[in-house]
Amino acid sequence: MKRSGLLHAELNRVIAAMGHTDTLIIGDVGLPVPHGVPCIDLAVLPGTPDFATVFEAVYAELAVESVTVASEIHAHNPAMVALAARLGKDGVPVNEVSHDDLKRFSARAVAVVRTGETSPYANVILHAGVTF
């Protein structure tokens, strides 16, 4: 048994198997998951688990080269705007695309992690980096 950090076995396996430029999506409860893309469904109740908790746990485990968010966050989700700003300050490039494009890009993800988040546009594509 792991002592600390991310404890979800399936999510740990996915992260460990990711290579450079592979993508992992953390999404809200309503983000559609394309056919053929594995879904790690963590949603238990509306809001549980929340996006921020899942994001921080995954971000601590995965070498992230860049992230992609929906441009609609500026009008609809101040928490996602704050997260994007924080990541940018930490040197992680933040790309913005339309929500429709984000959904289209999700077809290439190694997996979608579904949270219980109910705030709009609480979705992020994590692009894997390297540790060397």
Side-chain angles (χ1 to χ4, degrees), residues 4 37 41 45 98 130:
S4 63
V37 176
D41 194 346
L45 294 168
S98 72
V130 293

Side-chain angles (χ1 to χ4, degrees), residues 14-25 62-66 108-111 125-129:
V14 167
I15 291 169
M18 288 179 72
H20 187 216
T21 74
D22 282 346
T23 59
L24 177 67
I25 297 177
L62 178 65
V64 176
E65 182 171 86
S66 66
R108 296 190 303 249
V110 297
I125 301 174
L126 303 173
H127 302 266

